[in-house]
Amino acid sequence: MPSDPLRFVRPDFVDLEEYEPVKPLEVLAREIGVPVGQLVKLDANENLYGPRPEIRDAVAAADFHIYPDPSSSDLRAAIGRYLNVDAAQIVAGAGADDLIDILIRLTGPERIVIAPPTFGMYSFLGKIGGAKILSVPRTPGPEFEIDLDGIRAAVDAGARMIFLASPNNPTGNVLTDFQVEALADAEAIVVVDEAYAEFAETSVVPLAAKHSNLVVLRTFSKWAALAGLRIGYGIAHPELAARMMAIKQPYNVNVAADVAARKALELRAEILEDVRCLVAERERLIAETRKLGWLEPVPSQANFVLFRVVGRDAKTVVTDLRNRGVLVRYYARAELSDYIRISAGRPEDIDRLMQALRELD
Ligand SMILES: *Cc1c(COP(=O)(O)O)cnc(C)c1O
């Protein structure tokens, strides 16, 4: 009788759900019967303009037989200049996801508050960190406002860490400074995930100087089209940032990511032109889909829009679009069962999407 190979695994890990395994593009393309290059990928909020050629050149020229700088000094200095904060407040990581993990490991919170519907990584990494996840739901759509009193009650009940995204994924709405400051007055670390800040009109980075328990997360994945290289960062009180630096994996930022991110900051004026185009396409997406009469957009400050599907089955719409080579996001969760999320793309991507949507009429 062979012994149980999982007997040394932490009991709560034995049946932990994997983080939404997604099919590789090649597999999807084969299933649908189109070449990968003809898929319109509007399901993961990536920047379909892709990285600037200068970034590819810089990565190609990087010396990656040498280990990266564990303190990412040049990159953190460049980010500091970009945001007008001290480099000592910046911690870089393998995507914003890495910073979520670092914060959870640093503080070891017994309870973490999230405000669903929201980004899945907070509860996923929270559970791996051994925390209990307290969900304080947002109000129903189209508002999807956070429940400030409910979150404060969760802190009173012992939660020491709050994760909120602004703009929120998948709803697209932002937090107000008032909401963030009200939460920062509570006895908990408040993490505001600004993965989509470059597409939005507001940011709470300036508030980080006032509140030692406020941490802001950012990434190069969305605006700078570097999702596949894994590079993000956090802005925190210098003492908290120093402790984050102390416990992170020393080489969490690889050489290619470091070089690419610095080049992206150098080229930010040009890249932000692409961002402006994506924002314009987001607004065109809203205007064009309104004419169909069966998609109700939720106002968004990010590079995607959440739509309520009215009078037809949302999941069927997603399948029908996929069969036409257009990928959008569906959520298998009760409160989003009538919704689909569509990323903004280049004009030609949104044209292809609109053509497919009209074919469904
Ligand atoms: C996409 C996304 C991230 C992931 O950022 P990475 O830097 O790629 O890890 C983080 N937070 C939110 C809200 C996102 O939507």
Side-chain angles (χ1 to χ4, degrees):
M1 186 64 185
S3 49
D4 178 6
L6 300 184
R7 66 191 182 284
F8 303 119
V9 173
R10 229 172 77 178
D12 56 329
F13 281 2
V14 170
D15 51 11
L16 185 85
E17 272 178 60
E18 278 177 62
Y19 183 79
E20 311 161 7
V22 289
K23 284 188 191 173
L25 268 191
E26 289 73 17
V27 175
L28 262 176
R30 215 176 308 129
E31 279 179 17
I32 302 165
V34 301
V36 175
Q38 278 180 30
L39 288 177
V40 181
K41 196 173 182 315
L42 301 175
D43 61 344
N45 304 338
E46 291 134 338
N47 179 341
L48 297 187
Y49 284 100
R52 292 269 154 176
E54 297 93 326
I55 295 181
R56 287 185 191 280
D57 294 345
V59 169
D63 275 327
F64 36 77
H65 63 295
I66 305 289
Y67 281 102
D69 167 16
S71 60
S72 305
S73 306
D74 293 343
L75 175 59
R76 288 165 56 232
I79 294 168
R81 290 190 295 273
Y82 172 50
L83 295 181
N84 201 19
V85 301
D86 197 297
Q89 287 181 261
I90 311 279
V91 183
D97 295 350
D98 190 23
L99 277 304
I100 297 169
D101 191 50
I102 290 168
L103 283 164
I104 291 170
R105 283 189 289 120
L106 181 67
T107 59
E110 269 177 42
R111 297 181 183 82
I112 288 175
V113 189
I114 61 166
T118 192
F119 188 51
M121 207 57 85
Y122 315 135
S123 58
F124 173 73
L125 293 173
K127 281 181 210 160
I128 289 177
K132 188 169 187 290
I133 309 300
L134 304 182
S135 287
V136 180
R138 289 169 179 261
T139 60
E143 283 77 23
F144 293 113
E145 277 299 326
I146 60 163
D147 171 3
L148 206 50
D149 293 337
I151 295 174
R152 279 193 288 217
V155 173
D156 290 342
R160 290 293 167 263
M161 182 160 253
I162 304 167
F163 280 102
L164 294 165
S166 179
N168 185 45
N169 179 6
T171 59
N173 56 328
V174 294
L175 299 170
T176 64
D177 282 10
F178 173 84
Q179 286 170 322
V180 172
E181 298 215 83
L183 290 172
D185 284 340
E187 190 55 13
I189 291 204
V190 181
V191 183
V192 178
D193 179 348
E194 293 193 343
Y196 301 97
E198 279 80 3
F199 300 93
E201 287 153 20
T202 61
S203 166
V204 297
V205 166
L207 299 183
K210 277 206 284 180
H211 301 275
S212 64
N213 58 334
L214 176 61
V215 180
V216 184
L217 303 185
R218 292 278 190 100
T219 179
F220 289 84
S221 291
K222 311 290 163 53
W223 74 278
L226 299 182
L229 282 184
R230 317 302 303 129
I231 178 71
Y233 56 95
I235 303 116
H237 185 279
E239 287 184 44
L240 194 57
R243 290 297 89 203
M244 292 166 73
M245 293 292 288
I247 68 140
K248 78 180 183 67
Q249 294 230 22
Y251 304 126
N252 61 336
V253 176
N254 70 67
V255 169
D258 185 350
V259 164
R262 280 187 281 142
K263 191 52 95 175
L265 289 174
E266 260 177 63
L267 296 171
R268 69 171 173 270
E270 288 97 317
I271 300 172
L272 290 173
E273 283 297 320
D274 294 343
V275 166
R276 264 191 289 281
C277 292
L278 289 166
V279 168
E281 287 304 298
R282 174 189 80 201
E283 295 307 309
R284 183 167 76 95
L285 169 63
I286 289 175
E288 295 279 318
T289 47
R290 253 189 230 287
K291 295 180 201 155
L292 298 172
W294 52 273
L295 285 175
E296 283 178 2
V298 176
S300 169
Q301 290 207 27
N303 65 343
F304 56 82
V305 182
L306 188 69
F307 291 94
R308 192 160 84 89
V309 181
V310 185
R312 40 178 104 192
D313 181 55
K315 196 172 180 191
T316 307
V317 169
V318 173
T319 309
D320 290 348
L321 286 175
R322 189 176 56 203
N323 290 337
R324 288 167 173 76
V326 179
L327 308 178
V328 304
R329 183 72 197 269
Y330 179 73
Y331 297 90
R333 322 173 40 109
E335 78 266 34
L336 291 176
S337 60
D338 299 338
Y339 287 87
I340 61 177
R341 190 195 68 191
I342 306 180
S343 308
R346 298 160 298 182
E348 58 267 37
D349 303 312
I350 301 304
D351 286 345
R352 281 275 313 274
L353 164 77
M354 289 313 304
Q355 185 192 334
L357 283 171
R358 287 188 201 103
E359 281 173 24
L360 305 191
D361 260 352

